[in-house]
Amino acid sequence: MKRLYAYILAAAAAVLVAGSIAARPRSLGGVFSFNGAEISFQQMMTDSTFFEINAGIDFCGVLDGQVSHPGVKAAFSYNFMFLRQDFSTGCLAALAGVGFTAGYVRQNGMSPGPMAGLTGKIGVEYRFHVPVILSLDFTPVLGMHLEGHGNDSRLKLYQEGLIKAYYPRLGIRYVF
């Protein structure tokens, strides 16, 4: 488990170093919801498209006392802004995107195991004229979860990715 944390941390560091080379605006911050907390990095590609990389912990079963250790997951999505409205304090944009996610997580009532799947994103974000972005989005995951160990392992639908897609995620990022 400690190795997995180290791999995710190394991947996040590599992304930050690679992102610092580009000249387009980028942002770094956190994304918070009832089912997890993530470090988030965004890199603008054009005026209306950007990619986002998130790495964080999955709270499945931790907050209600079922388990003591959270899971970990990472996600990549390519997003586009399809509606923009400028105001005197900033810019409001509606966005959508697709990507993939992977991690080592637990589903309710199941043992922990690896998970991978496709993810979608729909939401809004407000870019202030000061270097701050606030966002609110929903991110369903359609994927598979490997439960159990050895000969007793079973591949199942990652239900938490669909059930908890209705939990909104609040993002707060610093633009640099």
Side-chain angles (χ1 to χ4, degrees):
M1 188 68 152
K2 289 183 181 180
R3 276 191 193 160
L4 187 58
Y5 286 121
Y7 289 140
I8 289 175
L9 184 61
V15 166
L16 292 175
V17 170
S20 67
I21 297 171
R24 292 224 168 245
R26 51 203 167 273
S27 62
L28 179 67
V31 177
F32 310 96
S33 72
F34 293 114
N35 59 336
E38 302 172 345
I39 295 173
S40 178
F41 175 78
Q42 290 180 341
Q43 172 70 53
M44 294 298 294
M45 303 303 287
T46 66
D47 287 340
S48 62
T49 62
F50 63 94
F51 69 81
E52 182 175 342
I53 298 172
N54 296 338
I57 58 175
D58 183 71
F59 292 152
C60 183
V62 173
L63 297 178
D64 55 6
Q66 292 180 7
V67 295
S68 60
H69 298 8
V72 294
K73 61 182 175 179
F76 172 87
S77 64
Y78 186 79
N79 307 287
F80 60 95
M81 296 179 209
F82 58 88
L83 183 64
R84 294 177 74 163
Q85 178 66 44
D86 290 325
F87 296 99
S88 61
T89 58
C91 177
L92 178 68
L95 57 99
V98 296
F100 59 89
T101 187
Y104 190 83
V105 298
R106 175 185 302 269
Q107 294 201 75
N108 282 332
M110 297 182 188
S111 61
M115 172 275 299
L118 299 174
T119 186
K121 177 182 281 216
I122 188 157
V124 294
E125 74 176 24
Y126 194 84
R127 293 176 179 257
F128 291 92
H129 288 308
V130 296
V132 175
I133 298 174
L134 291 178
S135 65
L136 186 66
D137 62 52
F138 299 92
T139 57
V141 175
L142 180 60
M144 301 303 287
H145 179 257
L146 185 62
E147 172 193 327
H149 301 286
N151 292 337
D152 193 29
S153 61
R154 295 178 299 267
L155 191 61
K156 294 189 170 189
L157 178 68
Y158 180 56
Q159 297 170 355
E160 297 296 314
L162 298 174
I163 294 169
K164 293 186 178 175
Y166 299 109
Y167 293 168
R169 299 170 4 122
L170 174 66
I172 303 169
R173 296 177 186 87
Y174 173 75
V175 179
F176 56 99

